[in-house]
């Protein structure tokens, strides 16, 4: 099935067709930049929502509901008359025929002809050649990933509550996060707050403060791209929160019950039922496919090189932006994608006006930020290096500002005040895997390959015969210090 312009105009009378692949920061901002252009824009994405990835970890921690950071794409562009949204999975980019080949929700083929193509397909997880780790240490790039991570974390406290064997209970209460970039730091900080501040009152047979939280990083310090002052502050704050920080440490093997890593002290194994991957990213597979079509080579991270104006070599009508491209050694974060998308939108409009004086893309670095815990963050912005409460306030302001829609911004502020300030609770702590697991066992849904990482089947023979006798927690400990 071939989809032409929204009005179904003939090729002779139709407007210029722009197809945008990807509804993330890059794709969505490119569509918005073209709102006043005399073009027909088609935004195609495999999901129906725009995801604000920097706050994914707060969904995983139960602070925010998914809808606040993932508004529907159709709702965002509903007032943009020249734009439409298609829910489809792009499979191939035919640069010679100028057609995007995709499949719809029912897997039927869908062809999208274009005059100008903007590819902003983003990035996915990178396990640095050890893809088998994906089964044991899921990453977090989508709303589904965040929900599964939330299930994985919360279900382990439930299992610890039911475990009678102290050694087994310790395994359920051990959490290992691999990668100490912003996502890894923010995630271990939230797990620590859950275990030490939020959950102690909720359980009777265990003391959640006994949880062991481990952060592994292959580089010499946490937050590798940040200033050394901010790295030292972050390391110190994490240790104050009870997080074990291991730098210069590389994961070498893992299974559903343990992880082995190599550090300066030698090889170590930690018995842990939860492992979360936050160590690296790789460009979307579409980058490699696009590079092959254009006769180019991708870099080690799978990114395609682009010209200074973000076009693909030999194809001035094709733009590639965001995490999937290699341009001036820019980092794979939201800001380059947003700035590139607005630049590309302006270039397209200039071309339609037959202007040829297009300057190369120039990136303005607005800095980097990361939270560590409640009222603790680091920020490197506008030549200022800030820590603590001030950095936390800066981080909150910037992130709320970039959310889509005033309703989502106000509700996010409300959820932060409710969960972090007043109640010190997490009101989005639902576990959904249990129902899904029953559905799988009864054949009601297909196996996803995801549940095993949340609560793997018992693999040790002695566990099969060990009863889940709920231990008794001394009355003096039940409410003490909570």
């Amino acid at each position: 099935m071939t989809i032409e312009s929204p009005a179904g105009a003939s090729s002779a009378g139709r407007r210029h067709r722009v197809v945008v692949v990807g509804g993330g920061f890059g794709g969505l901002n490119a569509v918005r930049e073209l709102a006043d252009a005399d073009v027909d824009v088609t935004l195609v994405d495999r999901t129906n929502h725009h995801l604000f990835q920097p706050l994914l970890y707060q969904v995983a921690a139960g602070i925010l509901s998914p809808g606040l950071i993932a508004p529907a794409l159709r709702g965002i562009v509903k007032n943009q008359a020249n734009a439409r949204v298609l829910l489809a999975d792009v499979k191939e980019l035919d640069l010679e025929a100028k057609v995007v080949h995709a499949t719809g929700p029912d897997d039927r083929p869908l062809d999208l002809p274009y005059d100008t193509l903007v590819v902003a397909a983003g990035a996915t997880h990178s396990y640095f050649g050890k893809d088998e780790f994906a089964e044991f240490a899921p990453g977090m790039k989508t709303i589904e990933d965040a929900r599964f991570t939330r299930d994985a974390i919360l279900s382990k406290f439930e299992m610890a509550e039911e475990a009678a064997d102290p050694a087994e209970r310790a395994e359920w209460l051990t959490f290992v996060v691999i990668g100490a970039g912003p996502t890894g730091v923010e995630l271990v900080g939230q797990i620590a707050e859950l275990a030490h501040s939020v959950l102690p009152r909720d359980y009777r047979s265990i003391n959640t403060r006994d949880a062991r939280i481990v952060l592994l990083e292959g580089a010499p310090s946490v937050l590798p791209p940040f200033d050394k002052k901010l790295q030292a502050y972050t390391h110190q704050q994490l240790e104050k929160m009870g997080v074990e920080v291991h730098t210069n440490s590389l994961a070498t093997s893992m299974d559903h019950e343990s992880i082995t890593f190599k550090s300066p002290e030698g090889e170590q194994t930690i018995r842990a039922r939860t492992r979360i991957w936050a160590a690296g990213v790789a460009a979307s597979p579409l980058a490699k496919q696009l590079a092959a079509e254009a006769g180019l080579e991708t870099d080690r991270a799978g990114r395609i090189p682009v010209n200074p104006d973000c076009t693909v070599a030999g194809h001035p009508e094709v733009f590639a932006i965001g995490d999937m491209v290699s341009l001036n050694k820019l980092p794979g974060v939201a800001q380059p994608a947003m700035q590139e998308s607005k630049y590309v939108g302006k270039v397209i409009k200039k071309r339609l006006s037959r202007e040829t004086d297009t300057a190369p893309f120039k990136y303005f670095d607005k800095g980097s930020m990361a939270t560590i815990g409640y009222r603790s963050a680091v920020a490197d912005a506008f030549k200022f290096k800030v820590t603590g409460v001030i950095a936390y306030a800066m981080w909150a302001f910037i992130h709320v500002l970039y959310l889509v829609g005033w309703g989502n911004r106000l509700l996010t502020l409300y959820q932060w005040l409710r969960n972090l300030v007043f109640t010190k609770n997490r009101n989005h702590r639902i576990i959904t895997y249990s129902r899904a697991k029953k559905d799988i066992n009864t054949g009601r849904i297909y196996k996803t390959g995801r549940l095993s990482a949340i609560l793997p089947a018992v693999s040790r023979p002695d566990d099969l015969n060990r009863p889940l006798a709920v231990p008794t927690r001394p009355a003096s400990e039940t409410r003490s210090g909570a």
Side-chain angles (χ1 to χ4, degrees):
M1 179 171 61
T2 301
I3 295 185
E4 280 287 352
S5 62
S10 66
S11 59
R14 62 170 171 76
R15 293 197 297 182
H16 190 90
R17 300 166 300 185
V18 179
V19 173
V20 179
V21 178
F25 290 109
L28 180 60
N29 280 282
V31 172
R32 286 171 147 181
E33 186 63 35
L34 293 170
D36 60 347
D38 187 25
V39 296
D40 288 325
V41 184
T42 298
L43 173 60
V44 56
D45 196 292
R46 64 201 303 178
T47 69
N48 76 328
H49 54 267
H50 164 72
L51 179 61
F52 190 79
Q53 282 192 349
L55 290 180
L56 260 183
Y57 78 95
Q58 294 206 358
V59 174
I63 299 173
L64 298 178
S65 62
L68 293 179
I69 68 167
L73 286 168
R74 292 187 183 278
I76 298 173
V77 302
K78 64 183 178 183
N79 295 323
Q80 187 172 330
N82 68 343
R84 58 162 176 190
V85 177
L86 295 179
L87 179 62
D89 191 3
V90 174
K91 300 296 185 181
E92 183 182 354
L93 306 171
D94 189 339
L95 302 190
E96 184 176 351
K98 294 187 177 181
V99 175
V100 173
H101 299 291
T103 56
D106 62 353
D107 290 332
R108 279 188 288 183
L110 184 68
D111 294 336
L112 303 171
Y114 65 83
D115 298 304
T116 296
L117 174 64
V118 181
V119 187
T124 185
H125 312 295
S126 173
Y127 288 90
F128 307 114
K130 295 189 176 183
D131 293 342
E132 66 274 13
F133 286 179
E135 179 182 354
F136 312 114
M140 200 165 60
K141 284 293 180 184
T142 67
I143 281 292
E144 289 81 5
D145 292 338
R147 285 178 51 242
F148 274 92
T149 300
R150 182 185 63 199
D151 286 356
I153 294 169
L154 296 176
S155 65
K156 301 315 189 319
F157 288 101
E158 298 296 330
M159 291 304 299
E161 176 82 351
E162 299 175 3
D165 178 53
E168 182 187 349
R169 191 185 314 135
E171 292 182 15
W172 290 120
L173 290 177
T174 300
F175 302 86
V176 180
V177 175
I178 305 100
T183 298
V185 167
E186 290 166 340
L187 195 52
V188 292
Q190 285 305 316
I191 296 174
E193 290 190 350
L194 275 171
H196 301 153
S197 304
V198 177
L199 299 179
R201 286 181 177 269
D202 292 12
Y203 291 85
R204 300 296 180 264
S205 301
I206 60 170
N207 187 344
T208 62
R209 295 187 183 92
D210 293 336
R212 182 184 181 190
I213 303 157
V214 182
L215 180 62
L216 302 181
E217 170 57 49
S221 63
V222 299
L223 297 179
F226 284 60
D227 181 81
K228 289 185 178 180
K229 171 189 172 183
L230 304 182
Q231 292 173 349
Y233 173 83
T234 302
H235 194 130
Q236 182 183 39
Q237 289 298 116
L238 288 172
E239 290 186 334
K240 283 184 179 180
M241 296 171 69
V243 178
E244 293 181 29
V245 181
H246 296 264
T247 55
N248 292 307
S249 300
L250 297 173
T252 56
S253 66
M254 63 182 77
D255 56 30
H256 283 303
E257 297 172 351
S258 68
I259 178 170
T260 300
F261 62 96
K262 186 180 295 184
S263 70
E265 291 76 35
E267 194 168 76
Q268 303 179 52
T269 297
I270 296 176
R271 302 292 302 179
R273 302 292 182 108
T274 304
R275 300 142 309 276
I276 304 171
W277 190 265
V281 296
S284 163
L286 276 181
K288 185 175 182 180
Q289 201 269 326
L290 178 59
E293 275 285 307
L296 302 171
E297 293 289 335
T298 57
D299 64 11
R300 292 180 61 184
R303 297 174 300 184
I304 180 174
V306 293
N307 295 324
D309 62 353
C310 296
T311 58
V312 175
H315 295 273
E317 78 285 358
V318 179
F319 296 87
I321 57 177
D323 297 349
M324 62 176 286
V325 307
S326 173
L327 176 63
N328 300 331
K329 298 181 179 180
L330 294 178
V333 293
Q335 275 301 320
M338 295 171 71
Q339 294 182 35
E340 288 165 359
S341 62
K342 293 177 181 179
Y343 166 83
V344 165
K346 290 181 172 63
V347 170
I348 293 173
K349 289 188 285 188
K350 282 188 174 183
R351 288 183 178 181
L352 293 173
S353 301
R354 304 195 183 282
E355 295 183 37
T356 58
D357 58 337
T358 302
F361 171 73
K362 186 175 181 180
Y363 176 62
F364 175 64
D365 188 358
K366 296 183 179 180
S368 304
M369 299 179 177
T371 61
I372 305 166
Y374 175 52
R375 300 173 64 182
S376 177
V378 292
D380 186 351
F382 306 108
K383 298 183 179 180
F384 292 99
K385 296 169 179 58
V386 187
T387 62
V389 177
I390 296 176
Y392 193 81
M394 291 172 60
W395 173 91
F397 175 78
I398 293 296
H399 282 69
V400 167
L401 187 66
Y402 281 117
L403 283 171
V404 175
W406 279 105
N408 286 342
R409 293 171 189 151
L410 292 174
L411 283 172
T412 295
L413 285 172
Y414 166 75
Q415 294 286 4
W416 283 349
L417 289 172
R418 175 184 176 180
N419 291 324
L420 302 176
V421 180
F422 297 116
T423 68
K424 299 274 193 296
N425 197 1
R426 305 289 186 268
N427 65 318
H428 297 285
R429 279 163 42 195
I430 61 171
I431 298 175
T432 58
Y433 85 89
S434 181
R435 180 69 259 166
K437 194 169 186 178
K438 287 182 174 63
D439 289 342
I440 286 176
N441 291 336
T442 57
R444 291 178 60 190
I445 61 176
Y446 293 109
K447 291 186 177 181
T448 63
R450 308 287 288 282
L451 294 176
S452 61
I454 296 173
L455 196 61
V458 174
S459 60
R460 292 182 293 184
D462 57 330
D463 282 348
L464 289 171
N465 299 317
R466 182 184 297 129
L468 281 172
V470 179
T472 301
R473 183 176 174 185
S476 61
E477 296 182 9
T478 303
R479 296 288 183 177
S480 62

